[in-house]
Amino acid sequence: MIFSRKRAAGRHALDERATNVPETAEDVPPTSVEPARGPYDVTEAPDGVQRLDLGSLQIPAVPEVEVRVQADQQGVVQQVVLVHGQSALQLGVFAAPRSEGIWDEVREEIRQSLLGDGAAAQEATGEYGTELHARVRTEDGLTNLRFVGIDGPRWMVRAVYQGAAATDPAAAGPLARCLDGLVVDRGVEAKPVREPLPLRLPREAGEQAAAADPVAGQADAASAPGNR
């Protein structure tokens, strides 16, 4: 089952914040500091943003970005890929310990795995820190990949760019805005480190699938040997 949604162009409202400066330090109210950009933990995510809710991941609506979600028959999401033009961004989110991040360790394991498969892989510095750039052989020939990891509170997001955005970060454009605005809902349940956090189809996709099942059944019956 594949659910696909393309974001239409449009503007989304931004929160307006007061700019008055208190006269003295005593007048400054205690406030929490909102991160300059995401991926955000659900407790820190800004309000007033339209997002596609996939459970542990909430993807912001960015114009001209198509969200492709592949799920099994039970509605469990196996893969999330965002597409814009000739570039794609695959997203995954995993449980992490409370005390430290795991991207450094995960990145090294990915590098070793790629090298074991004969693929060239090297580290580079990106907007989120150390990335891993690789060139792998696929059925379509050599493909460039750019692995980005972001450690959050008890979670880690792994983002893999393909296409033009893999070799030129400036080409990521709308896909990078999706990553910057991503929201992670880790939940409160204890989970083994590196276990994928659960993802699910959005409600509208479930309704579409349920509506499509009778049609598919009729099509199968019509094509059966006894009905020809």
Side-chain angles (χ1 to χ4, degrees), residues 21-30:
V21 179
E23 295 180 357
T24 64
E26 289 76 14
D27 294 330
V28 178

Side-chain angles (χ1 to χ4, degrees), residues 67-90:
V67 182
R68 298 178 181 176
V69 179
Q70 184 173 355
D72 60 21
Q73 294 181 348
Q74 287 70 44
V76 178
V77 173
Q78 308 293 326
Q79 184 171 268
V80 179
V81 179
L82 313 185
V83 179
H84 179 264
Q86 300 301 312
S87 297
L89 176 62
Q90 182 178 357

Side-chain angles (χ1 to χ4, degrees), residues 5-7 12 38-40 46 48-54 57-67 82 89 91 174-184:
R5 169 189 282 180
K6 189 169 185 179
R7 305 299 190 185
H12 301 283
Y40 301 97
V49 179
Q50 181 184 355
R51 303 183 180 97
L52 179 65
D53 188 352
L54 299 177
L57 286 180
Q58 299 175 20
I59 301 172
V62 174
E64 302 305 318
V65 172
E66 183 179 359
V67 182
L82 313 185
L89 176 62
L91 296 173
L175 296 178
R177 292 201 295 274
C178 287
L179 184 58
D180 288 347
L182 197 68
V183 175
V184 178

Side-chain angles (χ1 to χ4, degrees), residues 87-110:
S87 297
L89 176 62
Q90 182 178 357
L91 296 173
V93 61
F94 306 86
R98 187 186 303 273
S99 57
E100 60 183 357
I102 61 174
W103 171 237
D104 287 345
E105 184 177 345
V106 170
R107 184 180 67 253
E108 177 59 20
E109 292 181 357
I110 295 173

